Structure formats: C-alpha cells, structure tokens
Amino acid sequence: MEPEKVRAPNIRDVARLAGVSYQTVSRVLNEHPSIRESTKQRVLDVIQEIGYRPNQAARALVTSRSRTIGVLTTQTVNYGPSTSVSAIEIAAREAGYRITVTSISSTDYTAIRSALDYLLTQAVEALVVIAPQVRVLEAIRDMDFGVPYVTLQNADVGGAEHSMSVDQVAGARMATRHLIDLGHTEIMHISGPQDWIEAEARMQGYLEAINEKDLRTRAPILGDWSAHFGYYAGLELLRFRDFTALFASNDQMALGFIHACWDSGLDVPGDISVVGFDDIPEAAHFYPPLTTVRQNFAEIGRRAVSLLVSELQGVTVDHAQIVPELVVRRSTAAPR
C-alpha cells in the first residue's frame, strides 16, 4: 500500500492560520501598500512556519506581472558570461524575480531577432543582453521592446542609458602601461575576434597607451579567445622575436602564448613578459602566475539587475562604468 501523499500548504491554509482572508495574504505577497505592518508580519511568519511557496504562474495571472527578467547570451560556456548569468539569477531571486535564459548560436541577424522575440513572448518585464557583438546591438536598436533593458557592453556602443559594463578601454590601458612602466618599448597585442565590442575596446586601450608614449605601433593580431590560437600565434610571432612583451586580450590566449614561449625555449618573464585580461580563477595558477586585468563579472550581473528593478520601480540609478583592477603576478618583469 502506497503511503498517502502529503498535500502542500496553499494560500487558504496561510489565511486560516494567520486569521485573515486569502485576499489579504495575496496582497501581502504582492507587496500591496495598504496592508498594516503587523498583519504583514503575521502572514509572513505563517508562510515561513508552514513552508508555503506561492505559485508564480497563478500570481502572474492575478497581478498581470510575470516578475521575470529575460537574459540573452551567446557564450554561457565561457567564464565571464556564465558568472554574470549566475549572479543575475541570484540577484533577481533576491529581488523577487526569476530569469529565463536563451542563447544564440550565431550572430546572424535573423537568429538574434528570433531569440529576442522569443524572450518577449515569455512576458518578461525586463531584459539583460550578454551578447558582445556589434550585430546584436544593431538588432536591439531596430526593435521596440516596450520593457527596460540593459546590455553588459561599453556605453559608447550600447548607449549609456542602457549599459552596465566594465571600462574595457581603461583596463587595456592599465595592462599596457604596466608593461611600459617596467621598461618595455616593443609590445605586441593579440586581440579578440573582429565584431566583438570588448575586443575592439581592449585594442583601443592598448593603442592609446602605446601612442601616449610615442612607441612603435604594431598591428594587433586578431584572435578567437582560445588558448589554442594563443599558442599557434605565439609560435609564429616568436620566430622573429622582435618584441619583449605581449598583452593578450584574454587569459586563455595568454595561456596559449606562454605555452608557445616554453616550447620555443624562452623564459616568461625573463625573455618575454605577458599580461592577460579577465582574471579567470585559473590565472593565479598558470606557470608563471599570470599578471592580468580583473573585471568583476558577478558585480556586473548584480548591478544590471539592480538597475532594471529600480527602473521598473521608477527610480533612477547610476549607470557609471565599473573600473577594472590590474593584478600583478609573476608573468611580467623588466626587460633584460
């Protein structure tokens, strides 16, 4: 004989135990301003005591609000986007929202529009876009969402009123100036892919720092963010070895380049200094530990949610860019 299933508590159980109507419980759950504080606390105490969990779908039907934030992303497998998505989910939940995530496998305009249309059909109240390609922002500008949205890209591209981002240009200047301050005058740069907003911003920061000191300008190498590319690009660059330092646009390409140095019989940082960007958790355990630019992906996600929730409540929030931090480790030194 199967054991009798225990029924989950419902809103009428809460009302009965709190000595109020179920409509009052509903108003408490929906944060209605007319409820007295003592009544609200009594209801919340009962909810906690019996473990009542409101049915979000039912609440949406009653309030005409989904309390859902949509997230569009292209690269959830990479450290930065995946960390931001996790932080967005936690911050949204703490603010009484949930998230729905959709990914795009390509930056084809039709695919981008289709993904955005899908999120809007889910009755989302706001949108976060973690898709750092120029074409994604072009698609966004062509659409009328009718809901608040924020992109995790540079304000120069997405517009300050819809942007919450780390100052990528400033971070790249920090990395390049660190090498210059050590005494390096011949500095190479492996950039990210063309059409990526962050790659373009980091390349700009590198060139600005080089030009400020009137050093020789070298054409950046366009990479693909992978350690594999950093390795093979490094093997080619080191055949000529007419530079003493390299700034890679992310930590993975820096890792590949360091591997190429060892395979070429060169010491890091004795022969070549290397700086990365992002400060992924493994960066401190590269050999040697990697000097890099730290951007707080979790903080970006939290601020994005705070911005959207505030906008939904009619409150103005500061969109100021987050300043990254240079983390100096053992992959950089003065040139010999």
Side-chain angles (χ1 to χ4, degrees):
M1 183 175 179
E2 292 185 7
E4 185 178 348
K5 291 183 179 179
V6 178
R7 178 179 64 83
N10 59 38
I11 192 170
R12 293 184 184 276
D13 295 328
V14 176
R16 176 174 52 80
L17 292 171
V20 297
S21 67
Y22 76 87
Q23 292 96 332
T24 297
V25 177
S26 178
R27 292 189 186 98
V28 170
L29 293 172
N30 293 309
E31 301 178 359
H32 198 282
S34 66
I35 302 298
R36 286 184 299 181
E37 190 62 34
S38 59
T39 302
K40 175 182 176 181
Q41 192 57 53
R42 190 162 72 250
V43 169
L44 292 175
D45 289 343
V46 170
I47 287 173
Q48 183 174 6
E49 181 182 343
I50 69 174
Y52 169 64
R53 291 184 175 84
N55 185 309
Q56 294 295 337
R59 287 179 67 186
L61 288 173
V62 173
T63 64
S64 297
R65 292 190 60 188
S66 69
R67 298 194 74 83
T68 302
I69 296 173
V71 179
L72 175 70
T73 182
T74 54
Q75 296 278 330
T76 53
V77 296
N78 285 352
Y79 171 71
S82 63
T83 304
S84 292
V85 169
S86 178
I88 288 167
E89 193 277 327
I90 293 170
R93 180 161 22 98
E94 291 175 348
Y97 288 79
R98 53 185 174 174
I99 70 170
T100 181
V101 182
T102 191
S103 301
I104 51 177
S105 58
S106 75
T107 54
D108 174 75
Y109 187 84
T110 303
I112 297 166
R113 287 292 299 259
S114 176
L116 289 168
D117 284 334
Y118 168 77
L119 286 173
L120 294 173
T121 62
Q122 304 305 302
V124 297
E125 294 188 26
L127 280 171
V128 181
V129 179
I130 315 173
Q133 290 91 355
V134 173
R135 278 171 288 183
V136 176
L137 296 188
E138 288 173 351
I140 290 172
R141 285 194 289 264
D142 290 345
M143 296 182 71
D144 182 11
F145 292 141
V147 298
Y149 72 90
V150 61
T151 68
L152 305 192
Q153 273 69 57
N154 276 3
D156 291 345
V157 181
E161 72 278 12
H162 295 296
S163 177
M164 177 56 66
S165 65
V166 169
D167 191 335
Q168 305 289 324
V169 176
R173 281 200 303 261
M174 287 179 191
T176 311
R177 284 173 179 166
H178 169 66
L179 294 170
I180 294 170
D181 290 344
L182 286 172
H184 294 279
T185 57
E186 300 292 343
I187 304 168
M188 288 293 303
H189 176 48
I190 299 181
S191 173
Q194 192 172 20
D195 188 51
W196 281 67
I197 296 162
E198 293 170 347
E200 180 67 28
R202 293 171 196 177
M203 186 191 304
Q204 179 185 335
Y206 159 76
L207 293 171
E208 285 181 4
I210 291 293
N211 291 332
E212 283 171 3
K213 295 298 183 179
D214 199 27
L215 300 180
R216 178 157 64 123
T217 302
R218 297 166 171 270
I221 310 299
L222 296 182
D224 64 4
W225 300 126
S226 72
H228 184 81
F229 182 92
Y231 176 73
Y232 285 102
L235 291 180
E236 286 299 310
L237 291 170
L238 293 170
R239 288 171 56 202
F240 306 99
R241 201 183 152 198
D242 57 348
F243 58 98
T244 62
L246 179 127
F247 164 44
S249 197
N250 75 337
D251 291 344
Q252 286 88 348
M253 290 192 296
L255 171 62
F257 181 82
I258 291 172
H259 182 189
C261 288
W262 295 128
D263 281 2
S264 300
L266 298 173
D267 178 69
V268 177
D271 297 308
I272 304 281
S273 285
V274 181
V275 180
F277 202 109
D278 285 339
D279 195 27
I280 61 175
E282 298 82 4
H285 305 286
F286 287 6
Y287 185 74
L290 183 67
T291 295
T292 186
V293 177
R294 176 182 295 158
Q295 50 177 342
N296 192 330
F297 294 104
E299 179 64 16
I300 300 168
R302 287 191 292 267
R303 288 202 195 184
V305 172
S306 175
L307 187 154
L308 290 173
V309 171
S310 297
E311 190 166 345
L312 287 167
Q313 296 171 347
V315 178
T316 301
V317 176
D318 184 13
H319 289 244
Q321 286 186 304
I322 300 170
V323 179
E325 174 190 358
L326 179 70
V327 180
V328 179
R329 298 192 179 102
R330 297 204 305 270
S331 66
T332 52
R336 286 178 177 171

